[in-house]
Amino acid sequence: MSRPGRRGSGTGRWPRMPAWAATLTWKAAVFITVMCCALAALLGVLVHTEVTRQTVGQAREKALARLADVTVAYETGEALPPGSGIDPPGLPDALRTLATSGERGTLVADHFGRPAMWAAAPADGHALATQVDYSQSARTIDSLDGAIIGSSLLAGGATLLVGAFAVTRVTRRLHQTARVARRISAGDLDARVRDPRTADPSRPQDEVAIVAGALDTMASTLQRKLQTEQRFTADVAHELRTPLTGLSAAAELLPPGRPSELVRDRVRTMRALTEDLLEISRLDARTETVDLDVYELVPLVERVARMSGTPTTVRTGPPERSARVRVETDRRRLERVLGNLIANAHRHGRPPVVLTVDGPVVTVRDHGPGFPGYLLDDGPQRFRTEGSGRGHGLGLTIAAGQAAVIGAGLDFRNAPDGGAVARVTLPEHPEPDDGEPDTPTGPKSGPRHEE
């Protein structure tokens, strides 16, 4: 049962408006329609009132003039004209009462089914009355009312069409600006609105052009800053590679011992970090090309688990979904993605670490504390660490970048019972209609597995 004072269903909420009702075009159309109807109604009432007043006034003057002639004829004893007389039939009671009380008056009323203008005056305690035909005046008023309604509908429709056309032009430009903003947020920093009104400063600019110009300026500034950061990252990595190579060679010449082991370990860490930075700079530059081929997913995942050198369990989903499932991908990049996810799970989570293949979806799960909140909200961030120094470094950033290159989906979440879950969704390669293996079309066609 709904509560008193509430409308709608038992939930007590107002009905949800459809999505199209929230658009600017719809709101503008409703506003224009309401304003047109209100203006047409106001003008119609004013015109109707004025024309009716004039028409009734003319009919009243004509009836009073006829009453004056009838009064003269009555006083001189002459025959009264047709439609006139003492208390004639059809005389409205209100007008009869007014005349017998000693006053003159007029009134529009029906006379045998036709409108008539009555005029009456006192005569020896009775009502001396006459009437003139009011049909033509009534038809004139009715015709005027019809013309007002028709012209109002026509004007309202025309105004609505013109207004909708004008508003649509504005909303089309707004949609274009929104599409460009979404492209920029997706990483396409070359996207620009390029509104023609912003290209020519001499042209007057409306609010939409101002917003479009501001968006283009923001995109250009953001692009320059990101390109500067990308060049800096690439330059630093390139400059570090040469001395690190020499340092690595020199470290191998150190005499055996604990200090030498520490030096070699730090050098290896620095070289790995440098290679990661170079890989990130290439991903940021969007210059990577993919080498797509078709592979059976389960053997490929098992290979990655073995190459990781970690105690990682591989599980498969239902046989109808996972047996011989094939994906079209770049094997090297996919191995990089899965390898980084496995390394991150072992480094920052707790065992067991499980890889699950369910159709074209590969899930990497650990049983540690789970991903931090900022990663779930904003995705991997470079060099972002938790308070105790625990963080994902560059591994997940590279995994996300490589997944985007091969067209795979990568999302992060935490399991309800604890643990971090990373899910990779790959584009599945459909089986041939006849169930036969794909016919080789080149040196890279067909499933290929290297053990």
Side-chain angles (χ1 to χ4, degrees):
M1 180 181 295
S2 59
R3 296 181 179 180
R6 298 288 185 93
R7 297 184 182 182
S9 61
T11 59
R13 296 180 179 178
W14 291 92
R16 177 182 290 274
M17 295 293 292
W20 52 265
T23 61
L24 181 61
T25 302
W26 166 253
K27 293 179 180 179
V30 171
F31 176 76
I32 293 173
T33 302
V34 171
M35 293 303 298
C36 286
C37 291
L39 182 60
L42 177 61
L43 293 177
V45 169
L46 293 177
V47 172
H48 172 83
T49 302
E50 182 61 22
V51 172
T52 301
R53 185 185 65 80
Q54 293 180 2
T55 303
V56 171
Q58 293 173 359
R60 180 179 291 111
E61 291 177 358
K62 184 177 179 181
L64 290 175
R66 182 180 176 87
L67 179 63
D69 295 339
V70 170
T71 301
V72 172
Y74 176 76
E75 291 175 351
T76 58
E78 298 178 2
L80 300 181
S84 306
I86 298 296
D87 296 329
L91 179 65
D93 294 338
L95 189 59
R96 187 194 309 274
T97 302
L98 180 66
T100 55
S101 65
E103 297 183 10
R104 298 173 60 188
T106 58
L107 183 65
V108 177
D110 287 341
H111 182 59
F112 298 112
R114 300 182 62 183
M117 174 65 76
W118 287 92
D124 300 329
H126 295 280
L128 178 62
T130 187
Q131 55 92 16
V132 296
D133 186 35
Y134 192 71
S135 301
Q136 183 62 37
S137 300
R139 284 194 296 269
T140 300
I141 295 176
D142 291 341
S143 299
L144 176 65
D145 291 343
I148 291 175
I149 295 175
S151 60
S152 298
L153 293 176
L154 181 61
T159 304
L160 181 61
L161 291 177
V162 174
F165 174 74
V167 173
T168 301
R169 292 188 63 187
V170 175
T171 55
R172 187 183 301 115
R173 294 166 59 199
L174 289 174
H175 283 303
Q176 171 66 16
T177 304
R179 283 193 295 269
V180 171
R182 286 191 289 268
R183 288 173 56 190
I184 294 172
S185 64
D188 184 6
L189 299 182
D190 293 324
R192 298 291 186 274
V193 180
R194 294 186 176 89
D195 194 299
R197 293 166 180 78
T198 60
D200 186 2
S202 63
R203 296 182 61 180
Q205 297 187 11
D206 57 7
E207 287 78 2
V208 180
I210 294 174
V211 172
L215 179 63
D216 287 349
T217 302
M218 180 201 71
S220 299
T221 304
L222 179 62
Q223 185 178 36
R224 286 194 298 270
K225 289 183 177 180
L226 289 179
Q227 288 175 346
T228 300
E229 292 181 2
Q230 292 169 8
R231 285 194 299 268
F232 175 76
T233 302
D235 292 344
V236 168
H238 278 291
E239 292 297 326
L240 286 176
R241 172 182 276 183
T242 300
L244 282 175
T245 301
L247 185 60
S248 177
E252 295 298 330
L253 300 178
L254 293 176
R258 181 59 179 168
S260 300
E261 297 250 348
L262 292 175
V263 170
R264 284 193 286 268
D265 179 68
R266 293 300 90 194
V267 170
R268 283 194 294 268
T269 301
M270 287 292 293
R271 291 191 65 179
L273 177 59
T274 302
E275 295 300 328
D276 287 346
L277 289 175
L278 284 172
E279 186 172 357
I280 287 178
S281 67
R282 290 193 298 268
L283 292 172
D284 288 341
R286 298 179 179 272
T287 58
E288 299 284 71
T289 57
V290 294
D291 183 15
L292 294 179
D293 203 351
V294 179
Y295 302 94
E296 288 190 13
L297 185 57
V298 174
L300 193 151
V301 170
E302 292 174 344
R303 168 191 169 91
V304 174
R306 288 195 304 270
M307 292 176 59
S308 68
T310 58
T312 302
T313 305
V314 178
R315 297 175 181 172
T316 58
E320 63 274 10
R321 283 183 51 84
S322 302
R324 295 185 62 82
V325 61
R326 300 189 303 171
V327 295
E328 185 176 12
T329 187
D330 185 323
R331 187 186 65 183
R332 180 181 63 85
R333 298 183 188 278
L334 178 58
E335 289 176 349
R336 177 69 160 155
V337 172
L338 296 178
N340 282 15
L341 294 178
I342 293 173
N344 183 82
H346 282 283
R347 184 177 300 115
H348 305 294
R350 285 195 295 267
V353 175
V354 181
L355 266 72
T356 304
V357 181
D358 186 7
V361 179
V362 182
T363 303
V364 181
R365 179 187 175 178
D366 62 55
H367 291 74
F371 290 119
Y374 69 83
L375 190 146
L376 299 177
D377 295 336
D378 304 321
Q381 300 177 29
R382 304 170 190 179
F383 302 106
R384 179 71 181 270
T385 59
E386 293 289 275
S388 61
R390 185 179 65 87
H392 55 77
L394 301 178
L396 294 185
T397 304
I398 293 175
Q402 294 289 9
V405 170
I406 62 177
L410 176 58
D411 60 87
F412 304 94
R413 60 185 177 89
N414 289 330
D417 55 346
V421 179
R423 184 174 59 183
V424 182
T425 304
L426 296 161
E428 186 172 3
H429 183 73
E431 290 286 346
D433 294 337
D434 57 0
E436 295 292 334
D438 289 343
T439 302
T441 58
K444 289 193 174 185
S445 299
R448 182 178 59 189
H449 312 292
E450 296 181 7
E451 297 296 339

